[in-house]
Amino acid sequence: QVQLVESGGGLVQAGGSLRLSCAASGRTFSSDNMGWFRQPPGKEREFVAAINFWGITDYVNSVKGRFTISRDYAKDTLYLQMNSLKPEDTAVYYCACAAGTSTITTKRGDYNYWGQGTQVTVSS
């Protein structure tokens, strides 16, 4: 059974940092595209960052230069380092896997496995 389990969320002041982790199990993820999405209160789930097998990354414009996505292939763990956090970054953050997709993708519909989400709250 495929499982993605996020951790690392919490409450932080604006300008602070958090690192989210996503532990993956149940299949070999090393060749899959992995991503982070977020859902702000009252809004749709949106793409944040993605990384593919070759380490190619992509980010939504609003987090470029502040967030960094990375993965540890040996541990099957995905990370999202978030710096210079802003109140508008407040959301539930979800880890996702586009199984069998080696090319980078930002499309929510391409992701077929999801974690349960972790809350990130940035106070002003």
Side-chain angles (χ1 to χ4, degrees):
Q1 181 179 359
V2 174
Q3 278 195 314
L4 301 175
V5 180
E6 302 98 334
S7 61
L11 173 63
V12 64
Q13 288 189 330
S17 299
L18 283 174
R19 188 176 84 152
L20 304 183
S21 299
C22 172
S25 62
R27 62 174 274 115
T28 301
F29 293 89
S30 59
S31 60
D32 294 335
N33 187 101
M34 302 291 292
W36 288 98
F37 287 73
R38 67 185 179 187
Q39 188 164 12
K43 297 185 179 181
E44 294 290 317
R45 194 172 300 188
E46 62 184 17
F47 168 77
V48 176
I51 185 169
N52 72 357
F53 170 74
W54 294 280
I56 296 172
T57 59
D58 197 4
Y59 299 89
V60 67
N61 284 339
S62 60
V63 309
K64 284 181 179 178
R66 300 188 298 122
F67 291 11
T68 302
I69 188 171
S70 62
R71 63 195 298 175
D72 185 324
Y73 293 91
K75 296 181 179 179
D76 267 339
T77 301
L78 181 72
Y79 301 99
L80 185 68
Q81 177 67 43
M82 305 186 294
N83 299 328
S84 302
L85 283 161
K86 304 176 181 180
E88 52 263 44
D89 294 318
T90 294
V92 177
Y93 283 71
Y94 297 90
C95 168
C97 171
T101 303
S102 58
T103 55
I104 198 85
T105 177
T106 65
K107 298 179 181 178
R108 180 178 169 182
D110 288 341
Y111 290 81
N112 38 20
Y113 296 110
W114 294 84
Q116 81 288 352
T118 185
Q119 176 70 47
V120 171
T121 303
V122 185
S123 63
S124 57

